[in-house]
Amino acid sequence: MHLDTLQGAKSGAHVPIAPDQARHLVRVRRLEAGSAVEAFDDEGRAATGVLVQERGEWLVRLIAHPRPASRAQKALGVYTAIPKGNRADWMVEKLSELGASALVPLLTARSVVDPGAGKLDRFTRIARESAKQSRRSGVLVIHHPMPLPDALAHFTAAGGRGAVLTTELHGPPLASMDAQALFIGPEGGWEQAELSAIAAAGVSPARLTASILRVETAAVAGAAVLLAR
């Protein structure tokens, strides 16, 4: 189960459970006071505990000190245009399962989706549910949408190495690259000025397949290749 944070918590502490989490545990999972649970937070801390109810509020009483975050996989930020409809939900879920560390929605010249607060909240819920299902360490961080110049500045500040999947440029196979960030454009493709800006930021072109992929396919397949290294 997900908790907002386990930072600073100790064995014996009573940690509040968000109302939606509590409803799921009690009404869907049919758990009750005294049931054993495994809790985790966004940063990857985890702890065992038992459910308790005090004055109508559900909490977790920790029976051990939280374990520190354990990142088995390297950090990978995915900077991507957002596809339409449920395809975006699928992309978030699979990036979370794979172990990507962050998703940055990109706003490009040919983007067709600018996710608002409601969609971003949905992405966060999907990421948290996927983290529970896949037992990954931590939760995929969902950033606010960024225009490409802001995203490149964000990438540069992080000091990482990046790759851009593109049909306009020929590059080495993505599997041969040790990248910490992946840039994926909209289905309409990158504009030449955007490609120039991306190259100037030190992001290298890369190829994944000989075919043209949908945004969500490129994001998930590209992340799988880089995280498998």
Side-chain angles (χ1 to χ4, degrees):
M1 60 167 296
H2 175 267
L3 296 175
D4 289 336
T5 183
L6 285 166
Q7 184 174 11
K10 304 293 183 183
S11 178
H14 287 61
V15 183
I17 305 173
D20 61 330
Q21 290 283 315
R23 284 193 297 270
H24 178 76
L25 291 171
V26 176
R27 298 180 183 178
V28 178
R29 299 292 302 276
R30 303 294 184 182
L31 300 184
E32 55 188 20
S35 296
V37 293
E38 178 80 8
F40 69 95
D41 66 8
D42 289 349
E43 288 73 39
R45 304 177 192 90
T48 54
V50 295
L51 290 180
V52 296
Q53 189 177 33
E54 295 180 355
R55 300 174 183 174
E57 181 182 13
W58 286 96
L59 308 98
V60 176
R61 178 173 59 81
L62 303 184
I63 59 176
H65 294 319
R67 301 184 294 278
S70 174
R71 301 274 181 189
Q73 296 173 314
K74 68 178 182 180
L76 177 66
V78 180
Y79 298 75
T80 180
I82 301 299
K84 294 180 180 178
N86 293 337
R87 291 160 50 202
D89 294 348
W90 181 87
M91 180 179 72
V92 172
E93 180 182 69
K94 301 313 170 188
L95 288 175
S96 171
E97 288 180 27
L98 288 167
S101 54
L103 170 66
V104 180
L106 270 186
L107 301 179
T108 69
R110 298 173 183 168
S111 290
V112 295
V113 176
D114 181 356
K119 187 174 286 290
L120 294 176
D121 287 345
R122 177 175 175 80
F123 289 169
T124 297
R125 291 195 301 271
I126 291 172
R128 286 175 175 170
E129 288 301 314
S130 175
K132 288 194 293 186
Q133 179 274 325
S134 61
R135 294 184 176 271
R136 58 167 283 167
S137 177
V139 178
L140 173 70
V141 176
I142 308 295
H143 288 271
H144 289 287
M146 296 185 191
L148 181 61
D150 293 348
L152 291 173
H154 183 270
F155 161 76
T156 301
R161 297 177 299 279
V164 54
L165 291 178
T166 172
T167 57
E168 287 87 347
L169 292 177
H170 297 289
L174 184 64
S176 69
M177 303 179 69
D178 183 22
Q180 296 170 314
L182 186 62
F183 283 78
I184 298 166
E187 290 181 2
W190 300 100
E191 292 196 342
Q192 187 56 50
E194 293 173 330
L195 291 173
S196 298
I198 290 170
V203 181
S204 302
R207 69 178 187 272
L208 187 58
T209 69
S211 57
I212 297 175
L213 304 177
R214 286 187 178 273
V215 172
E216 68 277 13
T217 309
V220 172
V225 167
L226 291 176
L227 289 169
R229 288 179 54 87

